[in-house]
Amino acid sequence: MIDFLFDYATLRVVWWLLLGLLLVGFAVTDGFDMGVGALLPFVARTDIERRVAINTIGPVWEGNQVWFILGGGAIFAAWPALYALSFSGFYLAMFLVLAALILRPVGFKYRSKKEDPVWRARWDWALFIGGAVPALIFGVAVGNTLRGVPFLFTGDLRPIYEGNLFGLLNLVALYCGLVSLAMLVMHGAAWLAMKADGVVVDRSRAIGTKAALATAALFAGGGALVWLGVLGGYRVTSPIDWVGPSNPLGKTVVADAGAWLANFRAYPLLWLVPALGIAAPLAAALGFLANRPGWTFVASKLGVAMIVTTVGVAMFPILLPSSTHPGHSLAVFDASSSRATLRNMLVATAIFMPLILAYTAWVYRVLWGRVSEDSVKEAGSSAY
């Protein structure tokens, strides 16, 4: 069993699964943080209402962002070519994301330092930018990944990106950005409905219902674009060597309008993933209307997880397709680190991942309960 687990082919698939798990974990946890930030100007109109909303995520947002760091670290260590291309090709987009994310800790720490309404309003907008901008751009990045990114490798495997920032802002990518934004606004509203109190909850439920319906409709619309061939895909046509060296130039890939549906057609049970990606947001909308916050948050988490998972299932075994040189696309079987690296990282992950999950569960258990206006007033300056 151990020999099979440490087989090169198995290690590559396991790390593809772990990368997906980390990205889902980031979307599910830090996703509601970003959603709350994006909702802040709309669900909270007074300073005390904004403090209620902010204090629902204040104690947990730093821990949630660890999933983002783990995801980036996993890409760097397990898929170095993917890291090099995505972080260089999407450099300006990533810069905007990081600049927006930097505003979050500064906003949390500085907002309560002065009671001046103008001062606090500025930091509230910083928190809004720190939530809305990454939510949108992450979706834009996924859209470009599905569409294909203009890059190639030289003969000595040096990656060259041939696009620019404005090329990333195409209609398909912007559509995926809207899916991402609506999805995380729904998730943030579900969190506020469960953790906040008073009028903030009422406004969150109203906006959350619309965001959940928009998420289901936009995600279904994206599926229709794939089904109709408007959003094409890429397919490996040459034999796959799962234990061969990592060389993206050793295969043949073609653009195929139905490629992103091939895995679903080959394994019909996989249709449950996108089906839940539509059904779960609809269930969340019903939860908002019925004022069932626990049910709503679970449905929202499931919806976010299934939407992200759908992308990975559709693209497997391709990680990042090249729109200009399809044969240079990065795949699970030819873009990984060495067998020894993947094996050693898996051992470390098996040790430390349970500790991270246990600590995260303990933190949420300790900090469980609603945040009310009275509790914020009693906390005084110690609250955000």
Side-chain angles (χ1 to χ4, degrees):
M1 177 63 181
I2 296 297
D3 292 338
F4 170 75
L5 187 60
F6 288 155
D7 175 75
Y8 201 8
T10 304
L11 284 169
R12 282 168 159 165
V13 175
V14 166
W15 271 102
W16 174 79
L17 292 171
L18 284 174
L19 177 59
L21 178 63
L22 292 173
L23 294 178
V24 168
F26 168 63
V28 167
T29 56
D30 207 32
F32 67 73
D33 293 342
M34 290 186 284
V36 170
L39 283 168
L40 192 60
F42 309 103
V43 299
R45 298 172 185 171
T46 65
D47 180 65
I48 190 64
E49 291 173 0
R50 287 190 285 271
R51 293 185 71 193
V52 167
I54 292 170
N55 276 274
T56 64
I57 59 173
V60 298
W61 73 269
E62 287 179 292
N64 292 340
Q65 198 156 287
V66 167
W67 292 95
F68 179 56
I69 299 171
L70 290 174
I75 295 174
F76 173 77
W79 314 100
L82 175 62
Y83 182 90
L85 274 168
S86 58
F87 280 78
S88 60
F90 297 157
Y91 182 82
L92 292 178
M94 291 298 179
F95 178 82
L96 291 176
V97 168
L98 292 176
L101 290 178
I102 288 171
L103 290 176
R104 286 207 296 173
V106 179
F108 281 121
K109 300 302 181 183
Y110 278 82
R111 184 190 187 279
S112 60
K113 299 302 182 182
K114 292 172 62 175
E115 295 187 2
D116 179 17
V118 176
W119 169 270
R120 292 190 170 183
R122 288 171 179 170
W123 291 117
D124 289 339
W125 281 108
L127 292 174
F128 167 75
I129 293 172
V133 170
L136 178 67
I137 292 182
F138 283 135
V140 169
V142 171
N144 278 286
T145 300
L146 289 168
R147 186 172 176 264
V149 179
F151 70 87
L152 59 88
F153 285 93
T154 61
D156 57 356
L157 296 183
R158 182 169 59 90
I160 297 178
Y161 178 74
E162 300 179 313
N164 54 61
L165 176 62
F166 297 103
L168 298 177
L169 300 177
N170 53 81
L171 292 178
V172 170
L174 291 174
Y175 185 92
C176 292
L178 290 178
V179 176
S180 175
L181 182 60
M183 175 182 74
L184 297 187
V185 166
M186 169 194 69
H187 202 33
W191 175 258
L192 286 174
M194 184 175 64
K195 287 287 292 181
D197 199 8
V199 69
V200 173
V201 172
D202 297 332
R203 294 179 186 139
S204 298
R205 287 175 55 205
I207 296 175
T209 303
K210 297 175 183 177
L213 294 174
T215 300
L218 288 169
F219 182 59
L225 293 178
V226 175
W227 186 273
L228 296 174
V230 176
L231 176 57
Y234 297 84
R235 178 168 53 88
V236 180
T237 57
S238 59
I240 295 177
D241 183 4
W242 283 97
V243 296
S246 290
N247 180 4
L249 302 182
K251 64 181 180 304
T252 303
V253 178
V254 297
D256 184 351
W260 293 153
L261 298 175
N263 289 332
F264 299 102
R265 288 168 174 162
Y267 305 97
L269 191 61
L270 292 176
W271 284 111
L272 285 175
V273 177
L276 287 172
I278 298 173
L282 293 176
L286 293 176
F288 281 120
L289 293 173
N291 195 17
R292 299 288 298 274
W295 167 263
T296 304
F297 189 64
V298 170
S300 177
K301 285 198 297 184
L302 180 61
V304 171
M306 291 300 101
I307 289 173
V308 175
T309 302
T310 297
V311 177
V313 170
M315 292 184 61
F316 183 82
I318 292 179
L319 293 170
L320 185 67
S322 171
S323 58
T324 54
H325 298 76
H328 294 203
S329 300
L330 299 178
V332 174
F333 56 86
D334 68 3
S336 72
S337 296
S338 68
R339 176 178 176 270
T341 299
L342 297 182
R343 179 195 60 209
N344 296 338
M345 286 173 51
L346 184 61
V347 172
T349 301
I351 295 172
F352 291 106
M353 183 62 75
L355 297 177
I356 294 173
L357 293 173
Y359 175 75
T360 301
W362 177 78
V363 168
Y364 276 92
R365 181 177 179 273
V366 170
L367 298 173
W368 199 250
R370 288 185 179 271
V371 178
S372 65
E373 293 186 9
D374 290 339
S375 66
V376 171
K377 290 177 182 177
E378 290 175 5
S381 59
S382 62
Y384 291 96

